[in-house]
Amino acid sequence: MEPNDIRIGNGYDVHALGEGIRMRLCGLDIEHTHGFIAHSDGDVAIHALCDAILGALALGDIGKHFPDNSQEFKGIDSRILLTKVMELAAERGYRLGNADITIALQAPKLAGYIPAMRESLAGLCGCRADRISVKATTTEKLGFVGRKEGCEVWATVLMVSD
Ligand code: MG
């Protein structure tokens, strides 16, 4: 770790939608008929955020740290993965400066969940919610997101050291 260091990272993840699965985003249950098909709980937003944090610190990606063929991580609550990623960062002297997350999903509408999503991620990242931005968009019915086949998330973070 270097003092007063600032590192930028980006993360991207996609999961397919499946009927009858509980939808999880940013550590919250989302009321919907479909959820995300995945080895874990399918929290595509947390996965993108984890990859952004790991990317900022050049620590590889989420698949390297939590292999999706491992029984240990089957069905795992992605909040545990984010907590572990933040521990890896803290061990190296870094904390989250801020995060900006964009979720592309055709349905359901996420606007009502955004404040709780920010609080949820802030709690896991050990910062205030005003350092976490969560934005949601549809893709105007275009592409796989627009056809309600999946969800796409981009995350950008700054990691800082003191
Ligand atoms: Mg994923």
Side-chain angles (χ1 to χ4, degrees):
M1 189 265 284
E2 301 159 41
N4 302 314
D5 196 17
I6 300 173
R7 302 275 198 106
I8 192 168
N10 77 83
Y12 171 73
D13 198 24
V14 170
H15 279 279
L17 283 154
E19 195 168 4
I21 301 169
R22 185 181 60 169
M23 181 179 281
R24 298 272 293 178
L25 279 173
C26 301
L28 302 184
D29 287 334
I30 309 297
E31 199 68 43
H32 197 47
T33 53
H34 290 59
F36 302 118
I37 299 164
H39 184 71
S40 67
D41 67 357
D43 194 325
V44 56
I46 284 188
H47 297 174
L49 179 57
C50 285
D51 261 356
I53 296 164
L54 291 170
L57 302 180
L59 291 174
D61 60 31
I62 195 169
K64 173 185 162 186
H65 292 273
F66 313 110
D68 67 5
N69 54 11
S70 161
Q71 277 304 115
E72 185 187 349
F73 303 117
K74 189 166 169 48
I76 194 167
D77 184 333
S78 293
R79 291 178 295 184
I80 295 168
L81 306 183
L82 178 54
T83 300
K84 289 188 176 185
V85 165
M86 286 305 299
E87 283 170 8
L88 288 174
E91 282 165 13
R92 287 159 179 79
Y94 289 88
R95 58 185 169 81
L96 189 88
N98 74 300
D100 186 18
I101 297 165
T102 300
I103 302 170
L105 184 66
Q106 193 63 39
K109 288 273 183 273
L110 298 176
Y113 290 97
I114 300 265
M117 286 175 165
R118 296 174 60 208
E119 289 290 345
S120 167
L121 295 178
L124 296 166
C125 292
C127 67
R128 293 197 320 255
D130 65 3
R131 295 197 167 249
I132 307 274
S133 159
V134 178
K135 310 191 298 295
T137 184
T138 70
T139 60
E140 301 289 342
K141 300 185 178 169
L142 294 170
F144 69 86
V145 170
R147 291 190 299 271
K148 302 182 181 175
E149 294 168 2
C151 178
E152 213 170 9
V153 180
W154 296 263
T156 304
V157 299
L158 281 185
M159 300 299 291
V160 298
S161 68
D162 297 311

